[in-house]
Amino acid sequence: AGSTLRAQFLGTSDKQPLEFKVNGLRALRLEPTAGAPNVIGGTAANQITAPTAGGGVLSGSGHRIFNASDYSVIAGGFSNRIQISSPGGFIGGGQLNWIVNSSTNSVIAGGAFNQVSRDHSFIGGGLGQTNRSDFAFIGGGKQNRIEVDSEFSTIGGGNTNTIATNSQYATIGGGRDNIASD
């Protein structure tokens, strides 16, 4: 009671990180930067070069969260990557998901082995999905693909469906082995 915000605080006053531990293990680390601090949650194996949060792996498993883009978040899972020049990127969880260089404001909600390589694109989950077009959407399923220059296209789900290159505004609702082309 009666504390003064600037005079009394929990934290550091130098350029040293602040760690919170549970049962002797790091749960949260706040790292100083030239601007806003980096926030790293989960295991001590998690490392970042830009803002991120959450996740975790078992000690010694070799799986890490890797975030190299400003203003991006990897919330959990393991071996997920957001590469440089992909600000606003988000990976919710899962494993081995990848937002490639220069893929601004793109999202992979979860799943495994999914890849986004364009701006403002989305993969909801599933396995082995590839989204290579701006403003494109894959809801889920397995091994669905939206190729380059197919803006505003959608695959709802299913298995091995493809929206071919230069097929703007194409839609595949689901099913298997469907191809939409210009």
Side-chain angles (χ1 to χ4, degrees), residues 104-123:
T104 304
N105 298 323
S106 290
V107 173
I108 299 174
F113 300 99
N114 297 310
Q115 182 183 85
V116 169
S117 60
R118 295 304 297 242
D119 295 341
H120 311 286
S121 292
F122 179 88
I123 295 176

Side-chain angles (χ1 to χ4, degrees), residues 25-108:
L25 301 173
R26 185 181 92 188
L28 178 65
R29 179 181 172 102
L30 307 175
E31 292 182 341
T33 67
N38 290 332
V39 178
I40 307 169
T43 177
N46 292 341
Q47 299 175 2
I48 62 168
T49 59
T52 191
V57 296
L58 298 174
S59 178
S61 70
H63 297 292
R64 296 185 179 202
I65 288 176
F66 178 79
N67 183 351
S69 190
D70 293 336
Y71 312 109
S72 294
V73 173
I74 299 174
F78 64 90
S79 295
N80 293 312
R81 302 182 72 129
I82 299 177
Q83 289 190 302
I84 61 173
S85 301
S86 298
F90 176 83
I91 297 177
Q95 63 186 17
L96 297 161
N97 295 306
W98 184 18
I99 296 178
V100 179
N101 291 345
S102 303
S103 299
T104 304
N105 298 323
S106 290
V107 173
I108 299 174

Side-chain angles (χ1 to χ4, degrees), residues 119-166:
D119 295 341
H120 311 286
S121 292
F122 179 88
I123 295 176
L127 178 66
Q129 320 277 25
T130 303
N131 191 337
R132 295 178 162 182
S133 202
D134 295 324
F135 304 100
F137 176 95
I138 298 175
K142 182 178 176 186
Q143 297 178 333
N144 294 306
R145 301 177 61 87
I146 298 178
E147 297 295 346
V148 296
D149 299 323
S150 295
E151 291 81 4
F152 309 105
S153 292
T154 300
I155 297 176
N159 189 5
T160 59
N161 295 306
T162 301
I163 294 180
T165 299
N166 295 318

